[in-house]
Amino acid sequence: MRNSAKVRVAVLFGGRSAEHEISLLSARFVVEALDRDRFEPVLIGIDKAGRWLLQEEALLLGAARDPRLARLNEAMPEIALDAHPGPAGEATLAVPGGARSPIDVVFPVLHGPTGEDGCVQGLLELAGVPYVGSGVLGSAVGMDKDVMKRLLREAEIPIVPHVTLRRAAWDRDRGACLEQIAALSPAGGGFGPIFIKPANLGSSVGVRRVTARAELEAAVEHAFEFDLKIVCEQGIEGVREIECAVLGDDDPIASVPGEIVVGHADGFYSYAAKYIDADGATIRIPADLSPAEANAVQLLALRTFRALEASGMARVDLFLAPDRSLYVNEINTIPGFTSISMYPKLWEASGIPSRELVGRLIALALERGARKARLRTSA
């Protein structure tokens, strides 16, 4: 790290995914929360063509809070991260005019493929720069809902019944695929609910809740518009959606649990319920759970964090069934940081306000980077 009074934090946001706009809102929150006595932000927006562009803080902080209106300034100059450390081990950005600008740590606020799935994390590893959040492996398995569920099952962590489908199998015999999905419908008459999801997206992009056999084919086609692999999950009538935040590396801690109570017409915590409809969902923090249930949620969240090789931060989403059984739905290794997002709200309710939270995450990144820098690189 440079000998400077302030740590230079490159906040990386945008990206080439359907969650691009949500990433901009998350970046806004992180930048607002940075302690300017300790940190100097460098704002880098990745547009949907993959270009890295310097961004102006005033524009980001003044942007609309509606994701439909969020935009990068694509007229700003392009920059690039040097793909290897400098002579003193420093990480540098190539800025307009051929100069080099040092950075101390990267805070990726990227949601979805090419940002949350290990791709950017691999680039940051090559560059030798510390970064906030999970490494390549934890990011990759956290993004892929199919692989995630396989590892959770191996760790004997409860999950709901599901099937995974690939585009090639769907194109070859969609009738057989539909039968396989329909078999998830609970016994006892009726149909569904069944949730159809792209395997590698978040923010409920591409997700549909199916309650009739006639809706199934369109839901599958919709999910395949976003990914070549989809996950189909058995829904639980009357389920409660519980979320728990995790912070740390080798000795992580869990927040108080919260609950999402959905009131949107979609019938689940959809993209519209999250980001468009101001009355689409109600957040309850802490969740209305018994002490034993709250403890069980926290323990499951920590087990999930470790089983999936996560580090730094994550939000673990769980289901509480009417019979009080708990199931892990998924992990989010770069959880939302918008003004309505659960991750910062859960920590604030647990006694860690946003400024302290962002500072802790950066400190964890720098500590992990220092540990890795001490590793031997020859036999």
Side-chain angles (χ1 to χ4, degrees):
M1 193 170 70
R2 300 173 305 108
N3 292 323
S4 171
K6 293 184 181 180
V7 175
R8 294 198 86 212
V9 182
V11 182
L12 193 58
F13 55 95
R16 297 166 57 195
S17 91
E19 297 181 78
H20 175 99
E21 290 77 15
I22 302 305
S23 174
L24 270 61
L25 302 188
S26 288
R28 173 182 180 153
F29 183 95
V30 170
V31 171
E32 285 179 326
L34 282 172
D35 182 348
R36 299 311 171 88
D37 292 333
R38 301 169 55 199
F39 304 115
E40 177 188 347
V42 179
L43 275 55
I44 305 172
I46 303 176
D47 70 12
K48 291 195 175 183
R51 297 182 303 157
W52 289 35
L53 306 170
L54 278 175
Q55 294 291 293
E56 298 170 324
E57 184 174 336
L59 180 65
L60 178 69
L61 298 185
R65 294 184 183 273
D66 186 331
R68 295 169 295 182
L69 304 176
R71 297 287 186 275
L72 290 177
N73 182 355
E74 299 194 10
M76 293 296 288
E78 289 190 46
I79 62 168
L81 176 67
D82 286 342
H84 56 82
E90 73 277 14
T92 53
L93 294 168
V95 297
R100 291 292 187 271
S101 176
I103 54 173
D104 298 315
V105 63
V106 173
F107 199 129
V109 198
L110 296 160
H111 305 312
T114 74
E116 194 176 355
D117 60 358
C119 292
V120 162
Q121 289 74 14
L123 174 63
L124 300 177
E125 292 283 354
L126 289 174
V129 59
Y131 56 92
V132 170
S134 293
V136 175
L137 178 60
S139 298
V141 300
M143 173 54 59
D144 190 312
K145 295 178 178 64
D146 166 43
V147 176
M148 176 200 307
K149 290 177 185 296
R150 290 189 234 167
L151 291 174
L152 292 174
R153 185 190 296 119
E154 174 70 20
E156 299 183 343
I157 291 172
I159 57 176
V160 298
H162 71 283
V163 296
T164 299
L165 289 180
R166 297 180 184 273
R167 180 83 220 194
W170 175 251
D171 290 340
R172 185 170 55 248
D173 191 346
R174 67 178 54 197
C177 292
L178 289 171
E179 288 301 320
Q180 188 179 10
I181 301 169
L184 291 170
S185 187
F191 187 90
I194 296 173
F195 288 87
I196 313 297
K197 307 177 178 181
N200 291 279
L201 267 180
S203 295
S204 298
V205 173
V207 178
R208 287 192 179 172
R209 179 178 184 267
V210 176
T211 56
R213 178 66 180 259
E215 302 170 351
L216 197 53
E217 186 169 357
V220 171
E221 287 284 4
H222 180 65
F224 274 132
E225 291 177 7
F226 296 93
D227 201 352
L228 296 176
K229 181 169 65 170
I230 67 172
V231 172
C232 311
E233 298 173 347
Q234 182 182 97
I236 303 172
E237 291 287 5
V239 74
R240 294 170 60 188
E241 298 197 34
I242 308 296
E243 300 190 351
C244 187
V246 181
L247 172 68
D249 278 332
D250 296 331
D251 192 20
I253 58 174
S255 72
V256 299
E259 181 174 2
I260 302 292
V261 182
V262 178
H264 193 267
D266 288 343
F268 71 104
Y269 201 31
S270 64
Y271 185 93
K274 289 178 181 178
Y275 304 115
I276 307 301
D277 182 357
D279 301 315
T282 301
I283 294 173
R284 293 179 182 168
I285 303 176
D288 183 14
L289 301 170
S290 71
E293 288 171 335
N295 184 61
V297 166
Q298 291 172 317
L299 291 176
L300 263 183
L302 292 171
R303 284 178 60 197
T304 299
F305 189 84
R306 294 187 176 101
L308 299 178
E309 295 288 333
S311 58
M313 62 180 173
R315 192 192 73 240
V316 179
D317 300 344
L318 306 96
F319 296 136
L320 178 63
D323 67 0
R324 318 311 288 177
S325 298
L326 277 169
Y327 303 90
V328 171
N329 178 26
E330 63 182 30
I331 193 172
N332 290 268
T333 55
I334 303 184
F337 272 92
T338 73
S339 60
I340 61 168
S341 293
M342 283 289 273
Y343 189 80
K345 284 182 174 294
L346 288 169
W347 281 119
E348 185 157 6
S350 303
I352 304 178
S354 58
R355 178 160 293 191
E356 181 183 346
L357 175 62
V358 168
R360 283 202 194 190
L361 289 168
I362 293 170
L364 285 166
L366 292 169
E367 290 165 8
R368 186 177 64 182
R371 291 198 306 270
K372 292 176 75 172
R374 291 193 293 268
L375 295 174
R376 291 173 55 170
T377 56
S378 57

